Amino acid sequence: MIRRIQMLINGAWLDALSEDWTVIHNPATGDPVAEVPVGGREEARMALEAARRAFPDWASAPAEERANLLHRAADFMRGRLEEISRWLTLEQGKPIRDARKEIALAAQVFDYYAEEGKRIFGEWIPTGSPHIRSLVIRQPVGVAAVIAPWNYPVELLAWKIAPALAAGCTVVAKPASAAPIAATEMIRALHDAGLPPGTINLVLGPGRTVGAELVENPISRKIAFTGETETGRWIMEKAARSIKRVSLELGGQSPMIVCRDADLEKAVAAGVRRAFSNMGQICISVNRIYVAQEIADAFIARFVERTRSLRIGNGLDPEVELGPMFNEEVRRKTREHIADAVAKGAWVLCGGCEPEGEEFQRGYFFLPTVLAEVDHSMRVMCEETFGPVAPIMRFRTLDEAIALANDSPYGLAAYVFTRDLHTAFYIAERLEAGGVGVNINDVTELQAPFGGWKESGLGRELGRWGLESYLELKHIRIALDTPG
Ligand code: NDP
C-alpha cells in the first residue's frame, strides 16, 4: 500500500470530510507515489477558523518565543532533509541534488525570518505640538492564506509561511494539488517543533474550491500567492471585495542579453543552466536570449554543444541534471510553442522532441531545445512556455536589445552579460524587471526583494520586504498633560 498524507487543521492530522483521495504519480515513471485527501471548501473554512482562534495568542507571543519555534522547525527540516528531498523528486521530478538544495534553502528561510521577526521595530515621530507624542508600531495583519504552485512546492511556501509566522500571523497553507507531499513534510516540521494548534494549518484540495474559499472567506486578511498570472488576476479581483492585502508572484518571460564583450563561456554556462534547470519550469527561467551579432555564431555553437551534453533521466539518479517535465500539460504546451515557432520560420538547433530509449517511455521527458531565427511574432518569445526551450535572437545595438527585452507584458527577471561596467548599468537601469542579474543567472537573494513588474506580480517576497507584507502600521497619538 502506498503512503497516505493528511491535512493539518487546528493541530490535528485529518482526512478529507468527503473521504475522497487522489493519487500522485511520479512524473519520471508514472508509478504511484502517495494518496492525498481531496479537501473542499468546508475544510478550508475549518482551517481559517482555527487560524482565527489561534491568532491573538500567537500575535502577542514574544518575538523570541516565535523565533525559537521557527529555528526548531528549520532544524527538523535539515534533520529530515534526505527524506523530504526524496519525496520532492518522486512527486515533482526534479533531480535529487536540486531537491536537496530546495529543502535546505527552505530551512534557511525559516532561520532568517526567525531572526528578522525580532527586528519588527516601531518609530517615534516628531509632532506639531509639545503636548502630543506619535508612535508608529507594526502589527500582524491577521490570518494569512498562502497558496503555492508545483514547480518549487516547498521553497515557495516557505517564502510565505516563514515571514507570516515571524510577523505574528497565523497561517492556512495550500500547496499545489499535484505536488503536496514534500510541502506537507515541511508543515510537519513546524507542527513537530511545537507550534500551538491552529497557528499553522494545511489544507489539500483543488484551487477552484479550497483555494477559492481561502481567497473569498473574510477571515483571511492577507493572500500570498505564487502561480499563473491568470489565477493571480482572479485572486486580485476577489480580494478587492474586502480590500485584502495581496502579494502576487506570477508568470515571467525573462530575457537574457549577451553583449559583444561578454565572457562567452560564462554566459553560455549561465544561460544553459537557467534555461533548462527544473526543465524550464521556473518563473525566472531564461526564456529569450538576445545575443550581439558580432559573437552570435560562436555563442550559438557553444550553447548547442553544452545543451547536448546535459544528462537527462530519472531525478533519483545522482548524476542526472535534468529530470522529466511535471505533467503532460506542460509538455504539450512546450511542443505547441516549438511547432508555432517552426511554422513561422524558426530553426530547431537541438532537441525539439522526446528523448529516445526505454527509460524515457513512461515519463514526461523532453529534450532541452535550442531555437534560432526567432522573432517576436512567435509564442515562445512572448508567452510563458514553462518548458525547456531557449530561443536565440541576434541584435545590433544595445538600445535594440533593451527594447526587445522590454517588449513583454511580464517583468520578473532579466539578465545581462557584459564585461563593461558602463554597459551593465546602462542596460540594467533600463530593463523593466523586478530583478536584474548582471553576469549571473539568478536574481534570488534571501535578503533582497523578489517580485515582478507589470503582469509578473505585485508586492515583494524575501528580505525585510517579505516581512513587511504581513504587517500593518498603526499610529498611536498620545496627548500629554503638563505634570503637577
Ligand atoms: P496555478 O496558478 O495554476 O496554481 C498555483 C496555485 O494556486 C495552486 O496551489 C493552485 O491549486 C491554486 N489555485 C488555482 N486556482 C485557484 C483559485 N481560483 N483560487 C485560489 N487558488 C487557486 O499555477 P501552477 O501551479 O500552474 O504554477 C505555474 C505558474 O507559477 C507559472 O505561471 C509560473 O510562472 C508561476 N510561478 C511564479 C513564480 C514567481 O515568483 N513569480 C515562481 C514560480 C512559479 P491547484 O494546484 O489545486 O490547482
Side-chain angles (χ1 to χ4, degrees):
M1 182 157 131
I2 61 169
R3 181 171 178 204
R4 282 187 161 185
I5 62 170
Q6 291 179 301
M7 296 185 254
L8 179 70
I9 298 177
N10 200 27
W13 292 99
L14 304 172
D15 297 341
L17 295 171
S18 65
E19 298 181 4
D20 279 354
W21 297 86
T22 183
V23 177
I24 303 295
H25 293 94
N26 181 341
T29 62
D31 293 336
V33 176
E35 282 190 316
V36 178
V38 184
R41 282 186 180 264
E42 187 52 30
E43 289 88 335
R45 279 194 284 270
M46 286 160 56
L48 286 167
E49 271 155 22
R52 176 162 62 182
R53 284 194 300 276
F55 177 70
D57 285 350
W58 185 249
S60 57
E64 183 88 23
E65 192 179 311
R66 293 200 292 253
N68 291 343
L69 289 168
L70 295 183
H71 281 311
R72 200 149 179 249
D75 287 344
F76 282 149
M77 287 178 69
R78 277 185 287 267
R80 302 170 190 170
L81 190 127
E82 275 311 309
E83 183 200 340
I84 307 177
S85 308
R86 196 180 149 77
W87 283 119
L88 181 52
T89 293
L90 285 173
E91 67 178 330
Q92 201 274 348
K94 67 181 63 182
I96 188 75
R97 57 172 103 164
D98 292 340
R100 287 191 191 110
K101 229 189 277 177
E102 179 168 346
I103 307 307
L105 277 170
Q108 208 184 340
V109 170
F110 280 98
D111 279 336
Y112 172 76
Y113 279 111
E115 293 305 307
E116 201 63 12
K118 297 176 188 170
R119 292 185 274 271
I120 301 174
F121 301 139
E123 285 164 277
W124 180 282
I125 309 291
T127 66
S129 156
H131 304 295
I132 303 273
R133 298 290 180 272
S134 274
L135 312 181
V136 176
I137 60 169
R138 290 177 162 75
Q139 292 187 302
V141 61
V143 172
V146 307
I147 303 173
W150 48 261
N151 60 339
Y152 285 86
V154 177
E155 203 182 331
L156 293 174
L157 262 194
W159 287 16
K160 299 165 179 54
I161 295 174
L165 291 173
C169 294
T170 49
V171 175
V172 180
K174 194 202 106 52
S177 299
I181 309 171
T184 300
E185 292 308 311
M186 175 172 72
I187 306 279
R188 190 185 309 284
L190 285 160
H191 174 71
D192 292 352
L195 261 77
T199 307
I200 177 75
N201 302 274
L202 168 74
V203 285
L204 301 169
R208 63 179 185 282
T209 53
V210 172
E213 182 67 29
L214 297 183
V215 172
E216 290 169 333
N217 192 304
I219 294 177
S220 60
R221 293 305 318 152
K222 155 94 194 192
I223 312 295
F225 169 81
T226 299
E228 287 179 19
T229 293
E230 273 322 305
T231 318
R233 215 186 301 278
W234 183 89
I235 288 175
M236 201 168 162
E237 279 171 19
K238 292 286 173 191
R241 296 208 180 144
S242 47
I243 320 290
K244 285 186 194 190
R245 282 29 180 172
V246 287
S247 311
L248 304 173
E249 302 286 359
L250 310 176
Q253 232 290 358
S254 306
M256 171 180 176
I257 298 176
V258 185
C259 301
R260 65 176 180 214
D261 66 344
D263 179 326
L264 203 71
E265 280 309 310
K266 275 194 188 150
V268 166
V272 168
R273 167 79 190 159
R274 189 49 66 227
F276 301 128
S277 62
N278 207 16
M279 290 304 274
Q281 301 161 138
I282 312 185
C283 53
I284 57 167
S285 231
V286 163
N287 302 107
R288 305 171 271 151
I289 300 173
Y290 302 102
V291 57
Q293 174 68 31
E294 296 88 334
I295 59 158
D297 289 341
F299 178 87
I300 292 170
R302 281 294 295 128
F303 199 95
V304 169
E305 194 184 332
R306 204 178 170 103
T307 302
R308 285 208 174 107
S309 74
L310 292 171
R311 183 138 179 228
I312 185 162
N314 187 323
L316 287 180
D317 175 345
E319 300 302 317
V320 153
E321 292 165 287
L322 301 181
M325 298 194 71
F326 183 60
N327 59 28
E328 187 51 33
E329 196 185 325
V330 271
R331 188 164 68 164
R332 188 177 53 241
K333 188 173 175 198
T334 298
R335 279 198 210 103
E336 281 172 12
H337 278 200
I338 294 170
D340 169 77
V342 169
K344 290 170 181 160
W347 299 353
V348 178
L349 301 185
C350 66
C353 57
E354 291 83 46
E356 286 176 7
E358 182 58 31
E359 62 189 299
F360 302 118
Q361 293 311 303
R362 290 164 59 216
Y364 305 113
F365 290 96
F366 200 82
L367 286 172
T369 301
V370 182
L371 300 178
E373 303 302 319
V374 293
D375 62 47
H376 279 214
S377 71
M378 300 169 186
R379 294 176 67 190
V380 76
M381 297 298 277
C382 43
E383 294 176 26
E384 186 181 45
T385 306
F386 227 53
V389 186
I392 306 179
M393 187 172 174
R394 297 160 194 252
F395 71 83
R396 286 178 200 286
T397 67
L398 294 184
D399 287 334
E400 181 195 357
I402 294 165
L404 286 166
N406 287 340
D407 179 24
S408 170
Y410 295 110
L412 190 55
Y415 307 95
V416 187
F417 283 75
T418 173
R419 284 189 173 108
D420 182 69
L421 188 65
H422 304 282
T423 306
F425 274 104
Y426 185 83
I427 297 177
E429 288 175 0
R430 285 164 179 74
L431 287 172
E432 297 168 356
V436 177
V438 178
N439 296 326
I440 192 163
N441 62 0
D442 195 351
V443 293
T444 319
E445 184 72 50
L446 190 45
Q447 305 212 43
F450 182 98
W453 286 21
K454 302 196 270 186
E455 294 188 24
S456 283
L458 192 71
R460 293 293 180 272
E461 295 193 298
L462 300 184
R464 61 185 160 84
W465 300 269
L467 187 66
E468 286 291 335
S469 74
Y470 294 91
L471 295 166
E472 286 282 21
L473 292 178
K474 183 182 282 173
H475 172 206
I476 302 179
R477 190 160 183 255
I478 308 161
L480 298 175
D481 287 338
T482 308

